[in-house]
Amino acid sequence: MTTEENNKKPREEDAVDQKKRKSNESEKNEIGAQKEGAGDIKSDKRAKSKKERPNMQDKEGPMKQKRPGKKTDVEEHKEEESPSPKEPLLKKYVALIHEHLGENSLEDAYINRASKELPTLIVQPESYFSIARLLKTHQELQFNYLSELHGTDFKEYMEVYVHLYSFARKEHIALKVKLDREKPIIHSLVPLWEGANWPECEAYDLLGIEFKNHPDLKRIFLGEDWEGYPLRKDYEPYDVEV
Amino acid sequence: MVRTEEMLLNVGPQHPSTHGVFRLVVKIDGEIIQEATPVIGYLHRGTEKLAEDLQYTQIIPYTDRMDYLSAMTNNYVICHAVETLMGLEVPEKAEYLRVMAMELGRIASHLVWFGTYLLDIGATSPFLFAFREREAIINLLNELSGARLTFNYMRVGGVKWDAPEGWIDKVREFIPYMRKELEGYHDLVTGNEIFLNRVKGVGTYTKEDALQYSLSGANLRCTGVNYDLRKEEPYSIYDRFDFDVPTEETGDAFARYQVRMAEMEESLKILEQAVEQFPEEGNILGKVPRVIRPPEGEVYVRIESPRGEIGCYIASDGQKEPYRLKFRRPSFYNLQILPKLLKGENMANLVVILGGIDIVLGEVDG
């Protein structure tokens, strides 16, 4: 195997490479490293850095937002004086989804206050499509416009973020689903919105998320022979220096 | 009866009417398009990947290169996203400068569209006129930012430079000049019978199609949907201006032409009011920490670019660099409807339909 081939493969990095890398980059390569068995020390490191981070923030000054995924109602009220004006709407959405698709279809629901008071639903992968369909077709929801769809690699999981808008009600909603990072497969939204076609190809191309029932899932930007998925956090660029 | 045979034809990637490096594989039977397959990615530079290693201020020049015909709106969208996430306040004067820059950019962008679209269809002189007026705008923006196209003008919390002396007066003089020229365009083109024959009833789609395909901007408004983010969710200081959102009902290429022409006039209206309200005194940069370190969290904002709804998603983990940055690029979404529009059309209508969507390939490929 030539050195070039070695470089291309993100999974098989060796220990020498690891040392060379700058310290702030080390976190990005954790997953690759963990797989090799060097995980224990590394994961300790991550746990530490996670604890430290909020402290650092406090020193920085008047930043009051927090990580959205871990918000609970109690904490929210502590930090923000007034409850969000969108709170009743969110309750309504959650009630409707529970009514139609069962209590287990939603993982979490909260208002993303930093993002202009955006109601956000985290849904179970199995009910992702049916919730999207309910949001689009239900008379009291009518989210008929897909504004945005993309994926993100959050290291522990892969996330698909969908932003919907209702022209009839002039309301927004964000729909998020957490997928298994090693095997991210999810139902395509193209049967509901044709506009999801290329964005899903983009997520497939750059993050390797597979969309079931997509009419033509292909690498839309990179070549078909491209190795790896560039927007994944453990992606190793062909030429590390660039 | 003449017998015809299916033929595969490559339009682009190096074709002047694709306005960049865009390739379209068309299957034609005689002159009728059976199937069209867009091939994109020739200009993909991985902006989002690059941004993950850059600080927020360093990302701004990259946004200039996405939609290079209206870089000011791209500048704005990322600054706006960071400001929203951090809860920063932007000084009034900076907002006025931003709005003026964006509206000038919108006119310049529509002028390029107008000129090149007519050139695609076969009229040469409108292109020359449009670029003459665009040059005036570019000179104005050059004086403001120091660059003609890739401005890198806005900063998180404000703008980089104050307006140079006399700049506001130059903008004020430009408005009546542009109004007069716009009238000239209408005399020259809008009533022209050859032009009307080429664009009327061509590339028609319905409101339902437009929503289904996530179209935005003039591509959506040409079907009768009154939707402009400057009105629907006023960002910056757009709620202070009195302007209309032009819409058309027919959904054909001519409707899109009319919407864009009317939008230039509306932009002039906004400019006129902004020039009058412009505060001479004040800061151009708000209270921003030296190192921009947004709190953990995520934000998605959308604004109205000349091509439609441009969005910016930031997931921050509290570091100097974004954990994930994503742009919702309107051209990328708008272009998806093209295969549907081309099916069954005459080959000669290809450039009319493609040009009517108004794409910028830097933005399609990201």
Side-chain angles (χ1 to χ4, degrees):
Chain A
M1 202 186 269
T2 65
T3 40
E4 278 178 13
E5 275 169 322
N6 245 336
N7 274 344
K8 267 187 184 176
K9 296 207 169 153
R11 292 143 246 114
E12 295 171 12
E13 57 187 27
D14 51 71
V16 187
D17 257 344
Q18 289 258 332
K19 276 179 201 166
K20 272 187 197 166
R21 219 151 281 135
K22 280 171 262 164
S23 58
N24 62 344
E25 272 181 351
S26 69
E27 203 176 286
K28 285 182 187 172
N29 298 305
E30 262 170 34
I31 290 143
Q34 267 179 11
K35 265 192 185 171
E36 285 176 1
D40 291 344
I41 311 154
K42 286 275 173 182
S43 57
D44 279 347
K45 223 185 204 177
R46 174 163 55 184
K48 240 188 203 173
S49 67
K50 261 199 175 169
K51 269 180 209 161
E52 274 167 19
R53 244 178 240 159
N55 295 338
M56 278 163 65
Q57 259 183 50
D58 290 344
K59 278 177 210 161
E60 274 298 314
M63 297 169 180
K64 43 194 169 178
Q65 269 88 26
K66 32 193 317 293
R67 196 189 166 96
K70 298 201 171 165
K71 238 178 229 179
T72 64
D73 276 357
V74 188
E75 278 172 3
E76 205 173 271
H77 287 297
K78 249 190 234 166
E79 280 190 308
E80 305 280 342
E81 288 302 314
S82 57
S84 166
K86 300 276 182 188
E87 206 71 59
L89 267 180
L90 181 73
K91 276 188 186 137
K92 193 179 111 188
Y93 299 156
V94 172
L96 272 173
I97 290 167
H98 282 173
E99 186 193 329
H100 285 87
L101 298 162
E103 302 272 332
N104 297 329
S105 52
L106 278 180
E107 205 177 305
D108 195 7
Y110 60 91
I111 306 268
N112 187 352
R113 305 209 65 156
S115 186
K116 302 186 178 177
E117 311 281 343
L118 179 69
T120 307
L121 305 175
I122 302 181
V123 305
Q124 296 290 354
E126 305 82 51
S127 42
Y128 167 72
F129 184 77
S130 39
I131 286 182
R133 188 171 48 203
L134 183 77
L135 289 175
K136 187 190 175 188
T137 51
H138 195 281
Q139 212 48 42
E140 285 176 50
L141 299 167
Q142 293 186 50
F143 289 101
N144 57 345
Y145 185 77
L146 180 123
S147 163
E148 160 75 352
L149 187 151
H150 69 254
T152 308
D153 176 9
F154 278 106
K155 287 177 192 167
E156 291 98 23
Y157 57 90
M158 202 67 91
E159 184 183 274
V160 174
Y161 177 100
V162 183
H163 191 101
L164 302 175
Y165 179 69
S166 163
F167 274 89
R169 297 172 47 243
K170 299 197 186 303
E171 287 295 340
H172 298 271
I173 196 165
L175 194 65
K176 301 207 292 182
V177 60
K178 291 175 181 174
L179 304 175
D180 176 21
R181 193 177 174 281
E182 301 308 319
K183 249 187 166 184
I185 301 177
I186 192 73
H187 204 295
S188 166
L189 291 185
V190 178
L192 297 175
W193 292 281
E194 292 281 350
N197 189 330
W198 285 12
E200 285 185 354
C201 286
E202 190 184 6
Y204 167 70
D205 191 0
L206 304 178
L207 282 156
I209 301 171
E210 258 183 66
F211 293 90
K212 272 186 292 180
N213 292 5
H214 190 284
D216 180 24
L217 197 64
K218 60 178 177 203
R219 302 206 82 147
I220 193 164
F221 291 143
L222 312 174
E224 284 297 336
D225 54 350
W226 194 279
E227 276 184 49
Y229 302 103
L231 280 183
R232 287 197 179 201
K233 290 290 173 179
D234 57 353
Y235 177 76
E236 191 84 2
Y238 180 70
D239 186 351
V240 186
E241 294 302 314
V242 176
Chain B
M1 181 73 188
V2 185
R3 200 181 65 86
T4 59
E5 205 167 271
E6 265 191 8
M7 188 170 87
L8 212 59
L9 190 70
N10 257 307
V11 183
Q14 283 84 26
H15 186 285
S17 290
T18 58
H19 302 279
V21 272
F22 170 59
R23 177 169 158 224
L24 199 59
V25 183
V26 281
K27 204 184 272 178
I28 47 174
D29 185 4
E31 280 196 68
I32 305 299
I33 298 170
Q34 304 290 336
E35 198 190 334
T37 318
V39 183
I40 60 171
Y42 292 94
L43 214 56
H44 180 66
R45 294 147 296 181
T47 309
E48 287 156 13
K49 179 74 184 170
L50 290 168
E52 287 175 8
D53 290 327
L54 296 170
Q55 297 183 19
Y56 289 94
T57 315
Q58 294 174 316
I59 300 168
I60 296 167
Y62 283 84
T63 65
D64 287 331
R65 281 136 185 97
M66 278 195 322
D67 179 356
Y68 39 77
L69 294 182
S70 75
M72 284 296 184
T73 39
N74 300 5
N75 274 196
Y76 183 79
V77 76
I78 179 157
C79 295
H80 184 48
V82 180
E83 285 153 13
T84 310
L85 188 58
M86 296 177 74
L88 288 177
E89 273 196 28
V90 183
E92 197 180 31
K93 189 175 181 184
E95 289 285 25
Y96 275 100
L97 285 168
R98 284 173 168 192
V99 164
M100 279 192 268
M102 283 195 283
E103 291 309 319
L104 283 170
R106 192 182 310 273
I107 299 171
S109 169
H110 280 352
L111 281 174
V112 173
W113 172 80
F114 168 81
T116 52
Y117 189 49
L118 269 295
L119 194 66
D120 285 347
I121 293 176
T124 326
S125 27
F127 175 77
L128 301 173
F129 292 128
F131 268 61
R132 183 185 61 194
E133 270 71 83
R134 175 175 176 258
E135 197 61 28
I137 296 176
I138 286 181
N139 283 339
L140 283 173
L141 293 177
N142 190 9
E143 278 182 42
L144 189 65
S145 70
R148 284 167 52 85
L149 285 175
T150 49
F151 308 113
N152 189 14
Y153 177 59
M154 295 185 198
R155 292 291 180 273
V156 174
V159 294
K160 176 69 180 157
W161 311 103
D162 200 349
E165 221 182 306
W167 190 78
I168 298 294
D169 292 324
K170 282 182 190 166
V171 176
R172 191 177 283 128
E173 284 161 25
F174 170 77
I175 297 163
Y177 166 74
M178 190 65 222
R179 282 221 171 96
K180 198 176 116 261
E181 295 298 332
L182 267 178
E183 250 171 63
Y185 294 169
H186 283 299
D187 290 343
L188 184 68
V189 178
T190 311
N192 186 308
E193 211 173 317
I194 305 168
F195 171 69
L196 291 179
N197 278 331
R198 289 300 304 274
V199 293
K200 267 200 170 168
V202 173
T204 311
Y205 51 80
T206 62
K207 178 182 161 187
E208 286 71 30
D209 287 337
L211 294 179
Q212 182 70 6
Y213 278 88
S214 297
L215 302 190
S216 53
N219 293 307
L220 180 60
R221 290 190 284 271
C222 72
T223 60
V225 181
N226 186 331
Y227 185 65
D228 188 318
L229 287 163
R230 290 175 293 174
K231 277 268 192 231
E232 293 297 324
E233 300 163 15
Y235 51 90
S236 190
I237 44 166
Y238 276 107
D239 50 349
R240 299 188 192 177
F241 305 117
D242 173 34
F243 65 101
D244 298 318
V245 179
T247 54
E248 290 291 329
E249 297 296 327
T250 47
D252 59 358
F254 185 55
R256 295 191 270 286
Y257 168 86
Q258 284 177 302
V259 168
R260 294 204 177 98
M261 295 305 272
E263 269 177 25
M264 284 196 255
E265 277 159 39
E266 297 306 321
S267 289
L268 288 175
K269 262 196 218 170
I270 295 174
L271 274 176
E272 204 169 32
Q273 296 165 53
V275 166
E276 288 315 313
Q277 298 171 15
F278 182 70
E280 289 292 340
E281 300 300 318
N283 288 329
I284 55 161
L285 199 60
K287 278 183 188 145
V288 184
R290 185 166 284 269
V291 178
I292 294 158
R293 212 190 284 267
E296 281 188 40
E298 56 180 357
V299 67
Y300 178 64
V301 297
R302 322 179 299 159
I303 65 160
E304 189 76 25
S305 99
R307 258 152 281 280
E309 178 183 320
I310 184 167
C312 180
Y313 168 89
I314 294 175
S316 165
D317 57 354
Q319 302 292 316
K320 298 193 292 281
E321 303 90 4
Y323 182 81
R324 168 88 163 104
L325 180 73
K326 174 76 173 68
F327 289 104
R328 186 237 196 244
R329 310 178 304 275
S331 298
F332 180 64
Y333 281 78
N334 290 346
L335 192 56
Q336 289 187 83
I337 201 174
L338 187 67
K340 178 187 157 68
L341 294 183
L342 288 180
K343 204 170 181 186
E345 277 288 344
N346 201 305
M347 190 61 198
N349 283 341
L350 188 147
V351 287
V352 179
I353 293 169
L354 174 63
I357 299 175
D358 186 19
I359 51 162
V360 168
L361 264 300
E363 196 179 54
V364 172
D365 291 342

